[in-house]
Amino acid sequence: MAQFVPRPSFQIPGTIPKTYFLGHHHAGANKIKTLLPNISIILECRDFRLPLSTQNPSLERAIAGRQRIVVYTKSDLGTDSTTARHALKRIYGDNAVFWDKQKPATTSALLKRLKDSARTVDSLVGVRALVVGMPNVGKSTLLNSLRNAGISGKVAKAAKTGDQAGVTRKIGTAVRIVASDEKGGVGGGVFLMDSPGIFQPYVNDGETMIKVALTHGIKKGLIHDEILADYLLYSMNRYDPTLYERYCEPTNDIYEFLTAVAEKDGKLRTGGVPNIPESAARVLSQWREGKLGRYVLDDLSENSILTHQAKIEQPPQSMSQAKKQQKLERSQTRETS
Ligand SMILES: Nc1nc2c(ncn2[C@@H]2O[C@H](COP(=O)(O)OP(=O)(O)OP(=O)(O)O)[C@@H](O)[C@H]2O)c(=O)[nH]1
């Protein structure tokens, strides 16, 4: 049999939206800026499967220069190989941590970092920390886990969670996650605030939108499931085509793959016709649960990281930003002439 050759690139359909910046994202971003002067530490969450694509350049600029820990969430769904972790540690050193809601040790390690700050910060009111990040990366889940681990006894769930973008829409009130020393804790204690997931105002490339949609970072249905399933097939083929060997031989044909899924998992219409939309939905939910491989979708080669960092520092302009800039330059020219 001829050797399988994966597609070298993915054809991005022209229908992919380039933004998902909603009213509550705008309001949340403004509110975060007003809170920052009273915040000692920022926990910036990014999905470990998309360590670059879930970095929000505008949030990045807003929090520049502040004490920050980058929390790569959902590490149970990413790779166990140390290569990706080392690549990210090279950027942020000890300020890059990998978190998994099912691994209490990862929560305790983060809590220890916050307690250490409470010991060093000379504040009677305690350390104020803020969780930020793109939608659905796991911010509220992290807050609840830190609170459960940090406060003894049974505590009520402080923040609502759910596997879809936009569960949290407003900045929450400060929640105590470490008691003060007179109550058996540390210093003035630690308070943590949740914030709504904030999307970047404009994403220049459709591939990032597709990857974020795969992890439910934008509203379900904005990008067709079959396009997402096709991208997934493309990425599995590049990573390891045996990930889907229970369905079929390696293929670049999404309909061949989805037909095999329909036949194997009983997604059939009357008369045995494969139900392609249901197969696509099935494939996506399997992948989201880590049942079609655990790997990092972003390219973490040195070159790719450098290009990404350069884009963060000098983001390409959106069409409307470019128009605004032109208008401003024209009016300045008129004023000086
Ligand atoms: N497998 C896995 N799932 C996680 C982890 N952390 C969070 N999740 C799931 O991810 C989904 C989103 O979590 P949330 O905490 O609601 O995310 P959020 O960032 O607060 O979302 P927004 O409200 O959109 O800002 C939920 O279904 C969580 O159970 C993790 O470490 N591993």
Side-chain angles (χ1 to χ4, degrees):
M1 199 177 67
Q3 210 203 341
F4 173 70
V5 181
R7 279 174 278 183
S9 61
F10 186 78
Q11 190 74 37
I12 306 288
T15 50
I16 302 299
K18 294 284 167 56
T19 185
Y20 182 62
F21 193 58
L22 308 176
H24 77 268
H25 295 169
H26 185 65
N30 285 341
K31 181 82 182 157
I32 286 176
K33 282 184 202 147
T34 66
L35 288 173
L36 285 176
N38 298 316
I39 298 294
S40 329
I41 304 183
I42 295 165
L43 301 183
E44 195 215 323
C45 298
R46 301 180 194 165
D47 189 316
F48 182 44
R49 293 166 295 177
L50 296 179
L52 307 184
S53 302
T54 55
Q55 178 178 14
N56 180 340
S58 54
L59 199 58
E60 186 75 25
R61 280 188 292 280
I63 62 175
R66 307 205 152 256
Q67 196 187 340
R68 175 230 340 231
I69 300 175
V70 181
V71 184
Y72 291 102
T73 56
K74 310 191 187 187
S75 62
D76 54 312
L77 299 174
T79 173
D80 273 340
S81 127
T82 50
T83 320
R85 290 168 195 242
H86 283 159
L88 298 167
K89 284 265 183 202
R90 267 198 296 276
I91 314 176
Y92 301 107
D94 283 345
N95 286 328
V97 304
F98 301 90
W99 184 72
D100 168 2
K101 71 170 180 180
Q102 286 122 5
K103 276 207 188 117
T106 60
T107 306
S108 310
L110 197 48
L111 195 62
K112 183 177 177 304
R113 297 276 297 259
L114 295 169
K115 284 183 180 171
D116 288 345
S117 301
R119 260 183 213 105
T120 51
V121 168
D122 179 24
S123 165
L124 287 176
V125 288
V127 163
R128 304 232 150 208
L130 176 68
V131 197
V132 298
M134 299 251 288
N136 204 43
V137 291
K139 299 177 294 300
S140 305
T141 309
L142 176 67
L143 180 140
N144 289 332
S145 302
L146 286 167
R147 181 164 154 82
N148 275 325
I151 300 289
S152 49
K154 207 169 151 47
V155 286
K157 193 172 167 180
K160 202 170 149 200
T161 62
D163 191 19
Q164 51 179 299
V167 173
T168 308
R169 293 190 166 243
K170 283 192 177 149
I171 305 263
T173 46
V175 169
R176 189 181 272 288
I177 59 163
V178 174
S180 59
D181 53 7
E182 68 254 24
K183 293 204 172 134
V186 184
V190 180
F191 292 88
L192 187 58
M193 253 186 272
D194 197 7
S195 66
I198 294 176
F199 207 80
Q200 11 187 337
Y202 182 76
V203 179
N204 210 33
D205 68 302
E207 189 165 357
T208 300
M209 287 299 278
I210 292 178
K211 288 193 272 189
V212 172
L214 270 174
T215 59
H216 266 165
I218 62 174
K219 195 172 139 199
K220 195 175 171 336
L222 270 187
I223 301 179
H224 213 280
D225 278 358
E226 281 156 51
I227 297 175
L228 298 182
D230 193 20
Y231 186 84
L232 201 54
L233 179 64
Y234 158 77
S235 80
M236 288 191 290
N237 282 340
R238 289 172 73 86
Y239 186 74
D240 175 10
T242 63
L243 288 173
Y244 59 90
E245 66 187 357
R246 64 179 179 273
Y247 292 118
C248 59
E249 292 288 311
T251 174
N252 286 316
D253 183 335
I254 185 61
Y255 291 101
E256 191 179 321
F257 174 54
L258 292 178
T259 301
V261 173
E263 283 164 359
K264 179 98 184 157
D265 289 351
K267 302 288 173 202
L268 301 167
R269 296 185 199 273
T270 11
V273 180
N275 188 330
I276 298 297
E278 278 198 11
S279 290
R282 163 91 182 149
V283 161
L284 297 178
S285 74
Q286 293 256 302
W287 182 80
R288 286 173 182 139
E289 288 168 26
K291 292 179 185 156
L292 271 172
R294 297 167 53 229
Y295 57 101
V296 171
L297 277 146
D298 284 335
D299 172 7
L300 291 183
S301 64
E302 211 174 319
N303 232 344
S304 157
I305 290 180
L306 284 176
T307 313
H308 175 77
Q309 294 294 93
K311 265 199 220 154
I312 293 281
E313 279 150 33
Q314 291 245 290
Q317 282 186 323
S318 70
M319 191 63 90
S320 68
Q321 281 173 323
K323 279 184 186 157
K324 263 191 208 157
Q325 173 90 24
Q326 271 180 5
K327 224 169 140 184
L328 185 74
E329 282 167 9
R330 271 202 302 268
S331 71
Q332 281 169 345
T333 319
R334 270 199 303 272
E335 275 167 26
T336 51
S337 61

